[in-house]
Amino acid sequence: ILEQGAQLKGTFAYVQPFDDEAKKDLNRWQLYQAPGFVPPGGERLYCVTPSTDDKGRVHLLLHNKKADMGVSMVYDKKQLPYLSVWKNEDTEENGYVTGIEPGTGFPPNRTVERKAGRLPILKAKESRTFELSYTLHGTTEQIAEIAGGIDSINQKNPSTVLIKSVLPKKS
């Protein structure tokens, strides 16, 4: 699935670059380069606040360039309100990989996340359950159907790119 021209589609409300390296590639953050494309800072990370369908679910789809293979994910935003998209487009030998990671916060350390109000705390013996649905797709018709559903949701909730980093400014 992951190759030059692969694309991530989803119900995204806001997209923020994690750092200056991610900011440089922000205009094409959803597209993947060929293996071996390594920016000076290495991998890039984007912090996404998803939008949802009418039932509160986030929809994601990663598909190859031909849009004939892909994987989709659906989950409840109340359970996992944030999404981190990590792209490491190094050589295949060194780890040409992406991470599409729903979460309760973003990757900065707990101090940053606590100040931003994104650090849930479990009490002693408390637990939480997260439900995610993954589906593999192997035809252009399947990809088109999922992508069309995402596009319909996004027409109701257009996304915004935020140019500021999620990290606090260095003093």
Side-chain angles (χ1 to χ4, degrees):
I1 296 172
L2 195 58
E3 63 184 357
Q4 181 173 3
Q7 182 177 0
L8 175 65
K9 293 183 69 79
T11 53
F12 307 129
Y14 301 100
V15 179
Q16 295 175 266
F18 183 73
D19 56 20
D20 289 338
E21 192 59 50
K23 191 183 297 184
K24 293 175 188 174
D25 200 42
L26 192 57
N27 63 331
R28 20 172 272 94
W29 76 274
Q30 293 174 272
L31 298 174
Y32 288 82
Q33 297 287 329
F37 172 80
V38 183
E43 73 262 6
R44 293 178 312 280
L45 175 62
Y46 303 94
C47 300
V48 180
T49 302
S51 60
T52 67
D53 64 14
D54 294 338
K55 296 179 181 176
R57 297 175 304 189
V58 175
H59 296 258
L60 306 171
L61 169 66
L62 176 66
H63 66 77
N64 66 347
K65 183 177 182 176
K66 290 183 183 179
D68 62 0
M69 287 191 305
V71 60
S72 62
M73 182 188 323
V74 179
Y75 63 92
D76 187 332
K77 183 179 176 180
K78 287 181 184 172
Q79 295 175 355
L80 299 165
Y82 303 101
L83 176 70
S84 299
V85 178
W86 173 70
K87 294 167 64 176
N88 185 33
E89 296 157 316
D90 203 336
T91 62
E92 291 181 10
E93 296 80 19
N94 286 337
Y96 182 68
V97 65
T98 191
I100 302 167
E101 305 168 359
T104 56
F106 291 135
N109 67 46
R110 289 183 299 193
T111 302
V112 171
E113 290 299 281
R114 187 177 293 116
K115 285 180 183 176
R118 293 186 298 253
L119 185 65
I121 299 188
L122 295 177
K123 296 177 182 160
K125 298 187 181 184
E126 184 179 7
S127 66
R128 290 204 182 145
T129 301
F130 303 101
E131 296 177 24
L132 298 91
S133 170
Y134 298 90
T135 306
L136 298 175
H137 306 284
T139 68
T140 54
E141 294 81 12
Q142 291 171 336
I143 299 295
E145 181 181 347
I146 299 300
I150 289 170
D151 290 343
S152 293
I153 296 166
N154 286 337
Q155 286 176 355
K156 298 174 189 172
N157 306 305
S159 65
T160 302
V161 174
L162 300 175
I163 306 300
K164 69 177 194 169
S165 174
V166 296
L167 294 173
K169 290 184 180 182
K170 296 177 183 173
S171 346

